[in-house]
Amino acid sequence: MKRIPLSLAACLALTTSAIAQDATRAIENITGDVYRFQNNFHYALVVPTSEGTVVVDPINAGASSWLAENLSQITDQPVTHLIYSHSPVRRQSFPES
């Protein structure tokens, strides 16, 4: 088994931390009341209605928290429906509103 030099391991650890801290997040209107939420290279669907907001596939707790804090940009309705298109659901979550 080859050993990874300590300096390379440190660089990898710092790069991973920087990526996690500098997530690219945005909410973009697609058409009408359909929005796309970006978390780095992952996209989720957000559809506000008069009865509540539907969120499809929020990627993780950090992204979901950011989305919950920024939904007021597009609606004053709470999240009433979460749709997960695939598992594992254990990695996905959304804060209670």
Side-chain angles (χ1 to χ4, degrees):
M1 183 166 110
K2 293 184 180 181
R3 292 187 177 182
I4 298 175
L6 184 57
S7 59
L8 177 59
C11 287
L12 289 174
L14 291 174
T15 302
T16 303
S17 301
I19 290 171
Q21 292 173 356
D22 297 331
T24 300
R25 295 183 174 140
I27 300 172
E28 177 184 356
N29 183 255
I30 300 300
T31 185
D33 286 333
V34 178
Y35 295 83
R36 146 175 117 158
F37 162 58
Q38 175 186 1
N39 182 72
N40 291 328
F41 300 109
H42 174 82
Y43 294 93
L45 185 68
V46 179
V47 183
T49 71
S50 60
E51 297 176 12
T53 303
V54 179
V55 176
V56 181
D57 288 334
I59 187 66
N60 58 38
S64 297
S65 293
W66 185 93
L67 180 58
E69 291 170 9
N70 289 276
L71 274 177
S72 63
Q73 295 175 27
I74 60 171
T75 185
D76 58 357
Q77 294 293 326
V79 173
T80 55
H81 294 77
L82 287 174
I83 300 172
Y84 295 106
S85 65
H86 58 283
S87 56
V89 174
R90 70 181 178 273
R91 292 186 56 209
Q92 302 170 342
S93 63
F94 203 86
E96 295 204 23
S97 31

